[in-house]
Each structure stands twice: as C-alpha cells, then as structure tokens.
Amino acid sequence: MTSPILYTFRRCPYAMRARLAVAASTIKVELREIILKNKPAAMLEASPKGTVPVLLDTDGAVVDESLDIMHWALKQSDPEGWLDASYYESGMQLIGQNDTAFKPWLDRYKYADRYPEHPMSYYRDQCADWLSELDHKIASNGGGLLASHYVLADYALFPFVRQCAHVDKAWFNAQPWPALQQWLTHHLESDLFGAVMHRYQPWEAGTQGVMFPQMSESLADC
C-alpha cells in the first residue's frame, strides 16, 4: 500500500467532515466510495463496526472515527490553521455538543417516521434550539463559530447543519438566523466543498480507488 486508504460514503456527514480535512491538508489518499447496503469485506476487516469513514494508514493503523481522521490529516499538514490553539479547546467542546446532543435530535427530525413518540415538528424544535445558538455564536464572532475566520469546529459542524437544513429548506431559510444561513451558504459554495462532493463510482474489490483530493475539479452538484 503506497497511499493511505479512505473508505467513505458521499452523503454521510461524518465522512464528509473527514474528507474536508483531508482535502484541506492536501495529503493524498486512495478514496474508496462504498455502498452502505453492500459494505466491502476489506473495510469490515479493517473496522468491524462497519461505519464510515475508515482510514487505513500505510503502516496498517486503522482510524475509524471522523474527528480522529480530521486530526490525523491536519496534524500532518494544516495550511489554513484549522487547529489554531486559541480556539481548539472551545472548538472541541462545541463539536462534542454537536455529536452527542444535536445529532440524535437531527436523526429524529430527518427520520421522524421512525420515531412516532413525537411529531416531526417536535424534533425540529429541538434542532432549532441548537441552530439558534450557532447563529448567535457566528454573529457574535464576526463570521465563524469561534472567530472571524473558520477553524476546526466550523468544518466539523458544517455537514450536520447542512443535513438539517436540507430536511426542509423552506423552513430553514425562513428562520431568523441570518448569520448561520450566510455561514452555511459560504461553505456550500466553497471550492473545498465542491471538491469533496464529487461523485465517484463505488469501489470494487480488486480495483484501485481514486486519488483524493483533486482540488482542480469543478464544483459538484450538492
């Protein structure tokens, strides 16, 4: 193996945040797009829990948590300063809140039919509390969640805000969150996001994956 291997699924927000960091670092990996209903044996052998993303390093080490993959990439190369020490600890706290408190409500909002205990609007309201807090943070800090520029937390949270907004775009756009809406639009229209959302054919065992990132690619449909 001459390059690290990254198993991913295009629409998964966890895989998305990992690809964002790898692309920003410019470290080349062999990307293997998978089909969740037909997970490759090689990925399951590396990480039996069967979730994406999974990174297999050239020394055989396996990294199968999205935030750990972000750190793996950025600790090798961080040209944009995502790991800015001034905002690192507060950023990790924010990411923790996103992953442990907001994400379960997001899942219930997106798949409300699987959670009949409450109507969809109830789950949406729980998400709205978090989104309102993020809007306030961005407005207070002049553009980013923690600073006037973007750091690790911005890119780690963006895929989940995107997913929530896409459940009902009209509702999201009608909310009084101008700072958050502008923040989301900036991410969606960025070259970086376009590069990580390119559509690749699913990887097949015995074949070579694609080298990633390919930052010269035009913005993909997102």
Side-chain angles (χ1 to χ4, degrees), residues 200-215:
Y200 296 106
Q201 290 297 316
W203 176 76
E204 296 181 1
T207 66
Q208 182 75 21
V210 298
M211 294 311 297
F212 175 88
Q214 299 177 14
M215 293 299 291

Side-chain angles (χ1 to χ4, degrees), residues 71-112:
H71 282 96
W72 171 88
L74 296 168
K75 285 181 178 178
Q76 296 180 71
S77 174
D78 185 16
E80 301 299 324
W82 290 16
L83 296 179
D84 188 330
S86 300
Y87 308 101
Y88 181 76
E89 290 301 328
S90 55
M92 290 298 292
Q93 292 176 9
L94 199 62
I95 294 168
Q97 289 178 275
N98 177 85
D99 292 6
T100 61
F102 172 63
K103 183 57 165 60
W105 289 123
L106 171 57
D107 289 341
R108 285 162 174 76
Y109 173 40
K110 185 176 181 181
Y111 305 108

